[in-house]
Amino acid sequence: MDKTSLIKRISTIEGLTNEERSALLGLLRSHKKYGLVWEDKVEDVEERLRDELPVLREVKDKCIPSDAPEAPNHIIIEGDNLEALTALSYTHEGKIDVIYIDPPYNTGNKDFVYNDSYVDSEDSYRHSKWLSFMNKRLKIAKRLLSEKGVILISINDIELYNLKILSDSIFGENNYLANFIWQSTPGSNTGEDIKTVTEYVLSYAKNINYVKVNQIIIDDDDKYNMEDKYVEYRGKYTLNKLDRRMTGSHYSEALNYPITVPDGTLIYPGGTISKQEHWNWRWSKNKVQWGIQNGFIEFKKSNTRWAIYFKQYLFVNNNDEKISRALPYQNLIKDIDGLNSARGTQEIMSLMNSKAFDYPKPIALLLHLLKCISHKSSIILDFFAGSGTTLHATMQLNSEDGGHRQCILVTNNENNICEDVTYERNKRVIIGYTTPKGQKVEGLHSNRLRYYRTDFISRDRTQRNMRQLVNAATDMLCIKEDLYTEQQVLGRWKMIPQVARYFSDGKKHMLVVYNEQAASKLAEMIAETDFGGAKLKIYIFSPERYAFDDEFYEVQDKVQLVALPAAIYDAYQKVLPKRKPQLLETAKETKTIQPTQQNLFAQKDDGIYPVHDIGEE
């Protein structure tokens, strides 16, 4: 019997529940002719997400500010990464330029925890659990990547080949970039076995047609060196005529001078013994003298006529102008100082005065990868953050090239790792620290760091739950808009936090409206306010998808409206596990007493104030 017939047969079988029928059809349709097949193992966190929606709440006292006005806002999220990725699917879908992750390698030596239990080498479902675990997270990661985005995944030999096939199926074989290979451990070996000294970083593009890999620019100060470390890439020297005919304003009288050739004759540009207009040497007198002394000037005589040449690399054009010449990044990462796991441990000990984390990745590896893939305004995500090397490297690279990269880290707080290691490490990087040897290290002060924890709201779409979700989502909206400066007034009006909150940094503006009955009054306030040509983004509570467009009709050219929580539900629906069918609706609708619009505001000379408390009773 073929698959189509089986599907029809299952659809007509009596005695099956809808859930059982759906599961059977799902198994039948998921059969692959080629690729990985594993038994999906449900996670506890996945079960929780069937009933609850994750949100992100900021821990205000962990915020590290900066006086630098353009300092990027980096984020640490404490929580299970499946929960955090779900929340980020609303705030950052299609926005992440680089994802780097260092997931558990599944060595069997208790490095991988599944449902609060270590997976050891005797577990017969060891690889299925790991694939289930990675599959769920990589699928969401793909949604987060921008069109030009790239994901980099550290791994070793144990799961490398499974990961390659899994990633091919998620990102597409045609979007595979490279498998970066780096030497993670020293190469010495006193035994008789072959010692593995390398690890890997698999890389995939969201869309390989939009990816631009950076290059290592050759230092042009070495342009006229006879030999340098880039000679194999620069190629051999070639000869180019030292003189050239110039026209108009490009002609320079100072560059029309005679040069003494080997037989003592004075030769002017153009190869003549007398000065002629519109001809120049390319080099000044001093530079010609330097070129003769250092072997960069050659004299050639044909019959009775002399010609003068200078040596150049192929990457210098006929006008002696710099042409960008760069080295390609290679998938074999080598010859980088500090590129080994031992160096990563030393870096942690220097920062934390203790071995706070096992096998941290060295900064040199992340710097190399980010230089290869990222650009100066990239948003970078690491949802297996560990000790926080990715953020450290991001800030270091920004300080080196003047970039404005933002980094988001996600990790759970098992053994207080998020608070005591991930956060504490990067806090010290920002504010400065003293090494165990007493050396003071200046902080990278032009960075801000914000700390969040995952929290939860029921998935039942009651009026109360929807309002709770919108209230709880405010911190997420700040992340989404990268806008954190709350203003107490809008124009000449004082804000009432129970009704609406206003955020503005002078360039971007956001209004979060919790009480929709204030819409028309807020529209009046907006009409009186100048936003400098920028649009005010308004997130407004609505039980449906109606964003109160008619209330803001008179200021429609000044605002952009988004109805909440519908926008959040839409984003989450794409990534959340399906809910289990419920026979009885247990959630009870809670009656909400709303004050009338006339009671919301009382205008005074210095602002607007609530007549009475606004909220649910």
Side-chain angles (χ1 to χ4, degrees):
M1 184 179 292
D2 61 20
K3 183 185 292 189
T4 303
S5 300
L6 281 172
I7 290 174
K8 290 181 178 179
R9 178 70 178 129
I10 292 172
S11 300
T12 60
I13 295 176
E14 295 182 0
L16 292 177
T17 66
N18 288 335
E19 185 178 10
E20 291 169 338
R21 196 184 313 278
S22 178
L24 284 172
L25 291 172
L27 286 171
L28 187 59
R29 288 173 174 143
S30 65
H31 175 71
K32 295 181 178 181
K33 292 183 178 179
Y34 170 79
L36 283 174
V37 178
W38 69 89
E39 184 167 333
D40 189 55
K41 295 294 180 180
V42 177
E43 296 178 60
D44 291 344
V45 62
E46 188 180 7
E47 289 299 290
R48 180 175 190 169
L49 292 176
R50 295 188 193 280
D51 298 314
E52 297 182 297
L53 301 174
V55 293
L56 304 177
R57 294 188 187 272
E58 185 173 6
V59 182
K60 300 287 187 181
D61 60 2
K62 289 186 179 292
C63 177
I64 302 175
S66 172
D67 293 331
E70 298 300 320
N73 292 293
H74 306 295
I75 293 169
I76 292 178
I77 301 173
E78 175 194 317
D80 186 279
N81 55 17
L82 191 59
E83 300 165 355
L85 286 170
T86 301
L88 290 172
S89 72
Y90 173 62
T91 64
H92 279 78
E93 182 174 8
K95 293 182 179 180
I96 304 294
D97 300 301
V98 181
I99 296 176
Y100 169 80
I101 55 173
D102 184 15
Y105 285 2
N106 200 17
T107 63
N109 295 321
K110 296 186 176 182
D111 68 314
F112 174 38
V113 176
Y114 200 86
N115 289 347
D116 297 326
S117 297
Y118 283 107
V119 178
D120 60 30
S121 57
E122 302 302 316
D123 191 325
S124 58
Y125 290 102
R126 170 182 161 197
H127 297 290
S128 283
K129 289 179 178 178
W130 190 87
L131 286 166
S132 296
F133 177 84
M134 292 299 297
N135 181 56
K136 297 178 180 73
R137 288 154 178 81
L138 290 180
K139 284 184 174 179
I140 302 178
K142 181 181 179 181
R143 287 187 172 277
L144 299 182
L145 284 175
S146 66
E147 279 301 301
K148 59 185 176 183
V150 171
I151 184 169
L152 304 153
I153 312 170
S154 277
I155 202 67
N156 71 358
D157 295 277
I158 294 172
E159 295 289 2
L160 170 64
Y161 310 101
N162 286 335
L163 178 62
K164 177 66 170 65
I165 299 174
L166 177 65
S167 298
D168 282 348
S169 68
I170 294 173
F171 300 100
E173 290 182 65
N174 59 318
N175 287 318
Y176 170 68
L177 281 178
N179 183 10
F180 293 96
I181 304 169
W182 65 288
Q183 184 172 340
S184 57
T185 59
S188 61
N189 191 1
T190 58
E192 297 179 351
D193 296 330
I194 296 174
K195 184 175 183 180
T196 300
V197 298
T198 55
E199 291 182 18
Y200 313 94
V201 182
L202 275 180
S203 59
Y204 285 82
K206 175 72 170 288
N207 187 330
I208 201 166
N209 296 315
Y210 297 123
V211 172
K212 180 182 178 183
V213 177
N214 299 320
Q215 294 180 312
I216 306 169
I217 304 300
I218 293 175
D219 189 353
D220 283 312
D221 292 340
D222 289 330
K223 182 168 60 175
Y224 295 110
N225 288 344
M226 295 298 291
E227 293 288 341
D228 60 49
K229 62 182 179 180
Y230 301 121
V231 66
E232 62 179 295
Y233 300 100
R234 293 184 186 274
K236 297 180 179 179
Y237 285 109
T238 185
L239 295 178
N240 197 3
K241 291 289 291 292
L242 187 62
D243 57 354
R244 56 186 171 180
R245 183 176 176 83
M246 307 302 291
T247 59
S249 61
H250 295 290
Y251 171 76
S252 171
E253 184 68 25
L255 294 177
N256 195 343
Y257 60 87
I259 295 176
T260 304
V261 297
D263 67 1
T265 304
L266 293 177
I267 301 296
Y268 283 86
T272 61
I273 59 174
S274 60
K275 185 176 182 179
Q276 54 181 330
E277 294 295 325
H278 307 301
W279 280 88
N280 279 163
W281 300 117
R282 299 174 189 273
W283 290 4
S284 67
K285 291 180 181 180
N286 288 338
K287 189 171 181 180
V288 167
Q289 186 61 35
W290 170 88
I292 293 172
Q293 293 173 351
N294 290 277
F296 275 87
I297 295 293
E298 285 196 12
F299 301 95
K300 292 182 179 293
K301 187 175 183 180
S302 176
N303 297 323
T304 61
R305 192 175 182 88
W306 284 94
I308 306 176
Y309 297 86
F310 69 97
K311 290 180 180 180
Q312 67 167 23
Y313 283 113
L314 295 176
F315 74 97
V316 180
N317 69 11
N318 291 333
N319 294 323
D320 193 26
E321 296 170 348
K322 295 178 182 178
I323 298 177
S324 295
R325 181 67 179 267
L327 308 184
Y329 276 86
Q330 299 176 337
N331 75 314
L332 179 61
I333 305 174
K334 60 179 182 178
D335 301 328
I336 297 177
D337 183 40
L339 189 63
N340 58 71
S341 294
R343 182 59 176 267
T345 300
Q346 293 170 12
E347 291 163 353
I348 282 289
M349 293 183 70
S350 177
L351 273 158
M352 308 291 291
N353 296 325
S354 66
K355 186 181 178 182
F357 189 82
D358 293 329
Y359 309 114
K361 289 295 183 287
I363 296 174
L365 174 64
L366 270 299
L367 278 173
H368 183 84
L369 295 172
L370 292 178
K371 286 177 181 178
C372 173
I373 297 298
S374 75
H375 53 80
K376 290 186 178 182
S377 58
S378 287
I379 300 178
I380 298 160
L381 169 65
D382 181 349
F383 54 88
F384 287 95
S387 68
T389 305
T390 304
L391 175 52
H392 188 167
T394 299
M395 294 189 288
Q396 182 65 43
L397 184 54
N398 280 344
S399 71
E400 291 178 9
D401 68 5
H404 194 265
R405 299 169 184 83
Q406 293 178 280
C407 187
I408 303 171
L409 300 183
V410 179
T411 187
N412 60 32
N413 203 29
E414 181 183 355
N415 299 321
N416 289 330
I417 181 178
C418 190
E419 293 181 280
D420 296 346
V421 181
T422 317
Y423 170 76
E424 187 62 34
R425 171 190 185 163
N426 286 286
K427 174 183 176 181
R428 296 184 186 195
V429 171
I430 295 173
I431 66 176
Y433 60 97
T434 301
T435 70
K437 295 182 179 180
Q439 178 185 2
K440 290 187 177 181
V441 179
E442 184 66 21
L444 302 178
H445 302 298
S446 296
N447 294 278
R448 298 188 186 95
L449 182 58
R450 299 178 182 276
Y451 192 101
Y452 296 81
R453 290 192 178 105
T454 53
D455 199 358
F456 301 90
I457 303 293
S458 171
R459 282 180 70 167
D460 295 330
R461 297 195 187 188
T462 66
Q463 183 83 199
R464 175 180 288 275
N465 289 340
M466 287 192 288
R467 289 195 181 276
Q468 286 182 345
L469 178 57
V470 173
N471 277 271
T474 303
D475 287 342
M476 291 168 56
L477 296 175
C478 291
I479 294 173
K480 181 178 176 65
E481 299 297 333
D482 192 31
L483 184 58
Y484 301 89
T485 307
E486 185 167 7
Q487 306 293 341
Q488 301 305 310
V489 295
L490 175 61
R492 64 186 180 88
W493 303 92
K494 185 174 181 180
M495 300 305 300
I496 306 170
Q498 298 95 327
V499 176
R501 292 171 67 186
Y502 174 51
F503 298 82
S504 173
D505 61 5
K507 297 179 181 178
K508 295 187 294 185
H509 314 271
M510 175 177 73
L511 186 67
V512 186
V513 182
Y514 308 109
N515 194 315
E516 68 280 15
Q517 293 190 31
S520 62
K521 185 62 181 180
L522 289 167
E524 293 177 24
M525 296 158 58
I526 293 167
E528 298 178 7
T529 306
D530 180 14
F531 298 102
K535 284 205 171 187
L536 171 66
K537 189 77 168 284
I538 300 179
Y539 291 96
I540 185 167
F541 173 80
S542 173
E544 303 297 336
R545 297 179 179 274
Y546 168 55
F548 298 89
D549 307 70
D550 53 345
E551 300 284 359
F552 294 96
Y553 180 78
E554 297 296 332
V555 292
Q556 59 180 315
D557 59 327
K558 301 177 71 172
V559 303
Q560 180 182 349
L561 297 166
V562 180
L564 292 182
I568 300 174
Y569 287 140
D570 289 347
Y572 281 10
Q573 193 66 31
K574 301 173 185 176
V575 299
L576 283 172
K578 292 182 179 180
R579 301 199 70 180
K580 292 181 178 179
Q582 295 180 331
L583 296 178
L584 295 175
E585 180 59 57
T586 56
K588 294 183 178 180
E589 189 72 27
T590 303
K591 183 179 179 182
T592 302
I593 300 176
Q594 294 292 349
T596 64
Q597 179 179 311
Q598 287 75 17
N599 291 336
L600 288 176
F601 303 103
Q603 183 175 347
K604 293 188 177 181
D605 292 339
D606 56 347
I608 56 174
Y609 295 87
V611 174
H612 58 78
D613 289 338
I614 308 300
E616 297 178 348
E617 299 181 358

